[in-house]
Structure formats: C-alpha cells, structure tokens
Amino acid sequence: MLAQLSCTVLSRKELLDHIFKLTLSSSHISRKAKPGNFVHLKVNSDAPLLRRPFSIHSVDRARNRFEILLKVVGKGSAVLSQKSPGETLDLLGPIGNSFSLPPRGREVILVAGGMGIAPLWFLLTRLAGRFSPEDMTVFMGAKSKTELLYADKLKGTQAKLIVATDDGSAGRKGLITEVFLKEIKKRGRDLKKLAVCSCGPHKMLKSMSEIAKSLDLWCQISLETHMACGVGACWGCVVKGNDGTYKRVCVDGPVFDAREVVLE
Amino acid sequence: MKGRPDLSVKVAGVRFSNPVLVASGTFGYGEEYNALIDLSKLGGIITKSVTLKPREGNPPPRTVETPAGMLNAIGLTNVGVDRFIKQKLPFLRRLNTRTIVNVAGSTVDDYLKVVKRLNRCKGIDMLEINISCPNVKEGGLAFGARPESAYECIKQIRDHTSYPVIAKLSPNVTDIVQVACAAEEAGADAVSLINTLVGMAIDVEERKPVLANITGGLSGPAIKPVALAMVWKVAGAVRLPVIGIGGIFNVQDALEFILAGACMIQIGCANFVDPQTTVKIVDGLNRYLKERKIKRITDLVGGLRTG
C-alpha cells in the first residue's frame, strides 16, 4: 500500500568505503514491505531535485524500522549518506512488485553483485523458514575484497556461500555471473529444479538475463534505474520486454522474469 | 475577512473549484496518484497525451536530472484513444474534479479522429491540444512551430468539437506571441504555456548523449523564469485566458504566474518531487488571499505592477 511518509533516521553505519546502511523508522514500511519493494526518498528540500529509489534491505516489524543500503555514487547518495540520527526523510513506499517465492522443492540460488545484496538479503531472511540451508546457495560478487559486502553475515546464515571478485582478492577470481554459470553447469543438475533470484549492476543483470534465456532458467532479476515519479505516472523508467512493449521498472517491476526483458 | 476566499475560476464557461491543474504527462491518468493525494482538491486533471493508436514511446534512458530540473524524452507513451475511453476515463469521471484530455497527433486528421471519438464521451470538460511535444516527430510540434500551421490545426479541431479547446504552446519558437495569436484567431478558448524547452545532457566518459533520444524536454525550476516571461508576454497580447506552466513548485511560484496574467496554473515536474505540491499550493493561495483580504483569486490575475 503506497503512502507518503516522514520517517526518522535512527542510525547510520559505514559498512565499507562509501557504502552506508541507514536504519529508518516506519511502522508502515516495516509491516507492508515485501522483498523487492523499494522506497523513493526525497534527498533534500531543494537540490538534487528528484527522489532516489532504494531497495528495502531488511525490516524489523517488532521495532517499526527498516534498513536501506546506499553507495555514494552522486550528489543524491552523497547527501543521504550524511544524514544523522534524528533527521527526518520524506519517502514514498513501499513501491513496486516483489520477488515471487520460489516453488517448494526447488534449490534456491541468490546471485548478488555488490549492492545487489540489498534486496536479496531481505529475500533470504524470508526464505529461511521455507527452505533448509542446504537447499540455498548465495553467489556474492564484488570488484575486490575491499568492496565485498556481507561475506561474514552470509556465512552466518548457513546457506552455501560462493564468493567471487573481479581481481581475485577474495574467493574465486572472475565475474560472479561466470562463476554462477560454471557452477550450475558443473553440477549437471536438472536446471528445472533451480530457482534463481538476482540483483546487481546493469551489466551483470544483462548477463543473468542472457544465461536465463539460453538455459530457460526460473530466474527473477530486480532492476535498478533512474526514476522520476516512482508511481507509474511518467513512464520515464522503462525497460523493454520480449514482446516489444515497454514496462515501467517502478510499478511493473522492479522484479522481472529474466527471460522476459531485453537489457541493452 | 469572514469565510474562505473564492478560488474558483471560470474558463470558457467551465467552472473550476481552484486554478491548480496537473500538467499532461506528469500525472498519468490520475489513478496513479490516487493513493497519495485527495484528487478532488485539484482544480482539474490533464491526462497524459492521448493519440489515435497506442504508442510505446522512445527507448530508454528517457529521463535525466539536470541542474534545477530534468530532461525527459518519453515519446508520448499512451494507451491510445479507444483504451483511454474504456479503461482510463471511467475513473476520471467518478472524481469530483475537472477532466481535461490532452490530445496529440501526427496529422490534422489524427487529431480529428481522436477528438471525434472523445466527442461521444461523458465526463470530459475540456480538451488540451498538444501542438508542442519536442520529443517525437509526430508530437504536434510540426503544428506548434509556426503560426500558420498552429492556426490550421486548431481551426480544424475547433470546427469539429463543442468542447472548449486549450492550445498548448511550445517555447521552442521564434515568437510564442505569434503562435498564441494564431491559436486565438483559430478559435481556441484558452492557451497553456509553456511545454518543455529542448535540452540535452552528455556522458563524457562514454562520449554519448545521456538520453537515447539524444535531446529531451527540460522542465522544473530551471525553466520558470523563461515560462514566466512568455506567460506575461502572451497575456498582454491575447484576450484569451492564459494557463501558466513551467517550474511551479510552491505558492510563491504560482502567485508569480497569476500576477503575470495566468488565470490558471499547471503543476508538472513538482508532482514527482512532492506529490502534495498541488494541495499545498491550493492551501497557500487560500492563505495568501485571506491574509491580504482579497476576496477572489481572479482579482489577482494580471495584477502585476509595472512602472
């Protein structure tokens, strides 16, 4: 249920260089949000002008709070990363669709690239009760060890963890999508038993979409893009579907079947 | 002053409860914002441009933020007139606010076909004719770029509908006053201005334009002074009601346009930033009039003191 709310910053933690976790108060978001949903945050009173979308990273219903992860990439994220506890933020949310729960009996594979762990962590916590840890694998990729998020936290979940970095400074060397592809091919399992959920940089999701199409995988990807309205009115944030029509990332997504979108 | 000031405005015989409209393309078909604001508090809703056939629009990226504004090149994505009538109009009809349908086309005949279908509908109060979209060849700028073609397009529509007609004008012309005068001569009931200004942004790492369409339309606070000057010029040159558009974000901005001669205003880009903008402006206008003991908003229109 979409609402416009004012929420208070409860804490700000720098997880890695330029990567922050903000804990925000909101009973509405903590109760209504599902994995894949996002909030559209107003950064400041004036500049930058447009809101910025952030995946919901975790919710704490008992304490009426939720978390987002943010990486400083431009003006908007830089300003948000400096918000102190006690400051308020104007938000729209929760917005968008959510990950469909993988059918029971499947092996769940989460493929995260960098900040892509944000919604996947939320999903993982929701899947924990439905799937046993031995049926869950997390592929976590980063450019290098210094940018690797949540390796320790993921170990604590008992799901199988496979780490890869582009420079080989942690885990295997290579792109996480290549490692993922090699791994599922190596296992030679019936690919129909897999349920894959992925989030990460655009190039990575393009690869995931191509892999999903070539192997006909059950695979959901959560897209990220610039947005203006965030409520489905302006049609500024579209992605092309296989059928040639454009879909709005904000309300038709952000989660799409990887086989049904064409990423440029 | 006792009681509330009168914010109502009458344009071409249609009474609006207040002068605050939402601009075409920024508010979908109204339903998208239903969860966020009380739509009955708006003076009226102007729909996304409706064309004869459904349109997918331009490839992404379609938007980019620029200093104090944004560029968009959506490309008139819309469901087409038939689905608009079936799927979108019923919602608008139920609302206690005015509905203005924005119409776009690539030929005069296209416009007329859309208008004729809308003629048979209930629940439409006015038409706004888009002769000013900068982002598609078929978006009407072919008509809005010159007074002669603007006249031809508006005249034809005027002759084929009994709805009041607003001509939405482009700032991307040598002299907007001439186009406004042509629209007046052609029988338009009002003019709205300005549509977006053609602009561009470049990614220097990739050496590519940021927008897939290369250029887009600039909106937001960045264009407000340009819009204000054009509204002021046009208001001084035509007898028609003028509807002001361009970077209106708060009641101060709204008042500036009203003083410059706009009898109504449209809120566009600001809906994205704060969906409450329209409602806040209506409240702000009430407060402004009350504090200054001005009875009617219409008493302020064109009230600019020059010299």
Side-chain angles (χ1 to χ4, degrees), chain A residues 77-216:
Chain A
S77 48
V79 173
L80 282 170
S81 74
Q82 294 309 308
K83 297 282 176 187
S84 309
E87 287 189 67
T88 56
L89 287 173
D90 182 294
L91 74 78
L92 304 178
I95 308 178
N97 66 357
S98 53
F99 287 101
S100 307
L101 286 181
R104 282 189 197 276
R106 299 246 181 167
E107 181 190 348
V108 177
I109 296 183
L110 307 185
V111 186
M115 296 295 288
I117 192 64
L120 293 178
W121 175 262
F122 186 12
L123 177 64
L124 185 66
T125 59
R126 287 287 163 92
L127 295 178
R130 288 171 67 94
F131 296 87
S132 66
E134 58 264 27
D135 285 331
M136 293 201 285
T137 307
V138 181
F139 288 79
M140 181 70 216
K143 277 189 187 142
S144 74
K145 192 178 178 179
T146 54
E147 295 184 30
L148 184 64
L149 276 168
Y150 275 38
D152 291 335
K153 231 177 149 174
L154 287 165
K155 272 179 205 154
T157 64
Q158 296 173 342
K160 274 171 277 176
L161 177 64
I162 295 174
V163 169
T165 48
D166 298 0
D167 62 2
S169 54
R172 302 182 200 178
K173 186 178 179 184
L175 297 176
I176 196 68
T177 46
E178 290 166 359
V179 173
F180 161 74
L181 182 61
K182 213 186 263 177
E183 199 63 26
I184 60 170
K185 279 191 166 171
K186 191 166 71 186
R187 290 192 228 168
R189 291 200 191 175
D190 183 359
L191 296 177
K192 294 275 176 234
K193 287 205 173 127
L194 299 183
V196 184
C197 299
S198 182
C199 185
H202 188 83
K203 272 185 188 163
M204 173 196 149
L205 295 182
K206 181 171 157 41
S207 300
M208 288 301 292
S209 170
E210 283 157 9
I211 292 170
K213 283 174 189 167
S214 68
L215 301 177
D216 193 27

Side-chain angles (χ1 to χ4, degrees), chain A residues 1-4 42 48-52 90 92 226-229 231-236 238-240 244-246 248, chain B residues 25-28 32-33 35-36 48 56-60 62-63 65 69-70 74 77 221 249 269 272-276:
Chain A
M1 182 55 186
L2 173 63
Q4 182 172 6
K42 195 157 181 285
L49 194 66
L50 298 176
R51 288 170 182 266
R52 299 292 192 267
D90 182 294
L92 304 178
H226 291 290
M227 282 177 193
C229 74
V231 300
C234 75
W235 288 80
V238 297
V239 60
K240 195 165 209 167
T245 66
Y246 287 115
R248 294 163 293 185
Chain B
T26 66
F27 213 72
E32 292 86 343
Y33 278 96
L36 295 175
K48 202 160 169 37
E56 282 298 322
N58 292 330
R62 291 177 169 183
T63 63
E65 182 162 343
M70 64 176 286
I74 309 295
T77 303
F249 268 60
C269 183
F272 304 156
V273 177
D274 181 2
Q276 309 297 324

